[in-house]
Amino acid sequence: MAMATKIGAAPVHILPNRASLALPQHVGLDFHRRGNCFRRARRLEVKSMKMAERGEQAAEFGFNNGPINLSGTLNETQTVAASNPRRKTKIVCTIGPACNTRDMIWKLAEAGMNVARLNMSHGDHESHQKIIDLVKEYNAQSKDNVISIMLDTKGPEVRSGDVSQPILLKAGQDFNFTIKRGVSLEDIVSVNYDGFVNDVEVGDILLVDGGMMSLAVLSKTVDTVKCQVIDGGELKSRRHLNVRGKSARLPSITDKDWEDIKFGVENEVDFYAVSFVKDSKVIHELKDYLKRQNADIHVIPKIESADSIPNLQSILSASDGAMVARGDLGAELPIEDVPLLQEDIIRKCRSMEKPVIVATNMLESMINHPTPTRAEVSDIAIAVREGADAIMLSGETAHGKYPVKAVKVMHTVALKTESTSMVHQLPATFALKTVCYFREKIKKRLTLYHGVMPIYMQFSADAEETFSRALNVLLSHGQLKDGEDVTLVQSGVHSIWRRKSTHHIQVRKV
């Protein structure tokens, strides 16, 4: 557990310290003031700092399940179990018809929801406004918990048209897609994208509904793509279409998306999840717009396009995090590549100190069933062990039969996995717990960060008074106990990693 608080312009970090001569290795969050606002500067690394005489070996820092040697590399067989059972991996819940009431949002929040996701592919501004108002109402009355809001853009989705009833596709049969509007027959349906014929080539594999059905392109005319069914199934209205290995030549932010983004600005949402990002240009475009609007909203690109992979580094550099949207990613790229890409994206985000969300199909079976498959449980555990900041529920909460149970399963699996995670899968510097005290906007934003428990606290110009307030709040939240030792790290005017500044380190008994 680490706490960062603010005294004037100087951040203060409070760490539990069970060894009086050494600070634990940790990652904290350091903020500094520019004008009247705070910005996230970077994660602060304190590596084996000693309060003993220089050259003396650092003492071992003891945990419930054994010591960790601070003087060298962590042993791969060591594990970390937090003494406090608070879950560190955050949970994003998509809000939809199954959970858009006051009662259900309260239940999801109490079950473990940290971020409420608004999927702009469904619903209208009126229905989403209702959800935003309910989340804000919950935050206003909640003493110890806060829920942030993520607006997820629809993006340039290519979808089949409406059908009066599901069309049964059988392997080997011919089936066509046309850019003519309103066509719905047994062997041909419309698509909503005029450039579909130009984007598709003979020999391409079309995937319907994330790969539930697949078709091979045999030929095409001016307005029609002629295919043969490879894997059949029921084609329903407005099913998503992908071309294996390709992305549609559509702008990442459509006219509808811009209207939704403006809606998000008006409602001061906390995050935008931007669909089908192909390169960093769209991120810069959106951030420039937000700057002109004086809107403090973080931009999270959804990595789900084949074109995004070659540009991954520049996309992440321009962004405030990332979402591994495995559904469309696995449709546009070979599915066997998805686990490796997930691990790589998580690793890159961690190295850049930006939050990363793993999404899609995590508890898909719980849309209709009260218990998950064992494979789904393992999927959650893998994402947690790889270091994801957050894991996401989509249809499970939006329109599933068991939304609250799905959150509880995700919470339980993540908590259990965290309690026994192998240290070698985490960086040599990490946070067991981070508690940060800043203004309300920062408080909500920190709900997405791994291991961060944001609490709002008024600051004092007097350092001792601030220390006392902070310790009392931690005691009241059960994050500290009487008799425990804590380390207080107070930065100077400049951030602690810079050379020309003054920093104070104290060890105190609670």
Side-chain angles (χ1 to χ4, degrees), residues 327-372:
D328 286 295
L329 191 62
E332 294 198 3
L333 294 171
I335 56 174
E336 61 268 24
D337 290 348
V338 174
L340 300 176
L341 287 170
Q342 172 178 310
E343 184 178 12
D344 183 52
I345 294 166
I346 292 174
R347 183 170 58 248
K348 280 184 168 64
C349 285
R350 290 181 66 85
S351 68
M352 300 171 76
E353 300 167 352
K354 297 182 178 183
V356 57
I357 307 164
V358 173
T360 322
N361 304 127
M362 300 212 81
L363 287 174
E364 188 78 2
S365 68
M366 289 195 72
I367 292 177
N368 295 308
H369 302 285
T371 57

Side-chain angles (χ1 to χ4, degrees), residues 158-161 177-181 189-194 196-197 241:
V158 181
R159 291 184 179 269
S160 60
F177 295 96
T178 179
I179 60 174
K180 295 179 181 179
R181 295 294 187 265
V189 296
S190 299
V191 293
N192 67 344
Y193 171 40
D194 291 338
F196 184 69
V197 175
L241 302 177

Side-chain angles (χ1 to χ4, degrees), residues 81-352:
S83 58
N84 187 291
R86 183 179 294 273
R87 172 176 41 82
K88 302 176 186 66
T89 308
K90 303 307 177 67
I91 296 176
V92 181
C93 295
T94 305
I95 308 300
C99 61
N100 62 0
T101 64
R102 185 182 189 276
D103 180 59
M104 284 300 298
I105 287 177
W106 259 246
K107 287 180 178 178
L108 292 178
E110 297 308 313
M113 174 175 69
N114 303 107
V115 181
R117 171 178 173 254
L118 309 178
N119 185 357
M120 306 308 287
S121 295
H122 304 283
D124 53 22
H125 285 184
E126 183 180 358
S127 62
H128 290 302
Q129 184 69 60
K130 173 187 173 184
I131 296 167
I132 291 171
D133 292 343
L134 287 172
V135 171
K136 289 183 177 180
E137 180 186 347
Y138 174 84
N139 288 337
Q141 61 84 50
S142 176
K143 180 180 179 182
D144 299 328
N145 198 18
V146 63
I147 306 298
S148 59
I149 299 172
M150 174 178 289
L151 187 152
D152 195 325
T153 65
K154 182 177 183 293
E157 294 181 321
V158 181
R159 291 184 179 269
S160 60
D162 288 321
V163 296
S164 57
Q165 59 184 14
I167 299 173
L168 180 61
L169 302 183
K170 297 180 180 180
Q173 81 171 78
D174 293 334
F175 191 83
N176 303 328
F177 295 96
T178 179
I179 60 174
K180 295 179 181 179
R181 295 294 187 265
V183 178
S184 173
L185 300 173
E186 289 185 358
D187 61 351
I188 185 170
V189 296
S190 299
V191 293
N192 67 344
Y193 171 40
D194 291 338
F196 184 69
V197 175
N198 295 327
D199 282 3
V200 172
E201 301 295 338
V202 173
D204 283 347
I205 303 298
L206 299 182
L207 300 176
V208 182
D209 203 9
M212 299 303 292
M213 291 159 277
S214 62
L215 303 91
V217 177
L218 301 180
S219 63
K220 60 181 186 176
T221 65
V222 174
D223 55 25
T224 302
V225 174
K226 298 183 179 182
C227 308
Q228 185 178 66
V229 177
I230 300 173
D231 297 309
E234 282 193 338
L235 176 62
K236 300 178 181 179
S237 296
R238 303 181 188 182
R239 297 299 93 180
H240 195 191
L241 302 177
N242 295 91
V243 180
R244 174 74 77 191
K246 292 183 178 180
S247 300
R249 289 193 285 260
L250 283 165
S252 293
I253 301 181
T254 66
D255 291 342
K256 171 183 164 43
D257 293 334
W258 281 117
E259 291 301 314
D260 292 338
I261 288 167
K262 292 175 185 176
F263 172 75
V265 170
E266 293 168 359
N267 283 280
E268 298 181 315
V269 300
D270 304 293
F271 304 98
Y272 287 125
V274 185
S275 297
F276 298 101
V277 172
K278 302 173 186 176
D279 54 45
S280 61
K281 292 179 183 178
V282 66
I283 303 299
H284 291 299
E285 181 183 6
L286 178 53
K287 287 203 162 191
D288 288 343
Y289 168 78
L290 294 175
K291 186 176 181 180
R292 293 194 301 271
Q293 300 298 315
N294 196 30
D296 185 15
I297 303 172
H298 274 197
V299 177
I300 308 292
K302 295 168 68 177
I303 309 301
E304 56 187 337
S305 164
D307 291 345
S308 68
I309 303 306
N311 302 315
L312 186 58
Q313 192 66 35
S314 61
I315 291 172
L316 296 180
S317 296
S319 306
D320 301 303
M323 180 190 293
V324 189
R326 303 177 303 178
D328 286 295
L329 191 62
E332 294 198 3
L333 294 171
I335 56 174
E336 61 268 24
D337 290 348
V338 174
L340 300 176
L341 287 170
Q342 172 178 310
E343 184 178 12
D344 183 52
I345 294 166
I346 292 174
R347 183 170 58 248
K348 280 184 168 64
C349 285
R350 290 181 66 85
S351 68
M352 300 171 76

Side-chain angles (χ1 to χ4, degrees), residues 407-454:
V407 177
K408 289 180 177 179
V409 167
M410 190 165 267
H411 165 80
T412 303
V413 174
L415 186 63
K416 181 66 174 181
T417 304
E418 289 168 356
S419 71
T420 58
S421 290
M422 300 301 292
V423 170
H424 76 275
Q425 297 190 18
L426 297 174
T429 57
F430 63 94
L432 286 182
K433 190 73 64 177
T434 307
V435 185
C436 300
Y437 295 75
F438 297 102
R439 61 189 176 90
E440 286 293 335
K441 187 69 176 178
I442 301 298
K443 177 182 177 181
K444 289 196 293 180
R445 182 171 296 153
L446 290 176
T447 59
L448 190 59
Y449 287 81
H450 185 278
V452 176
M453 187 186 75

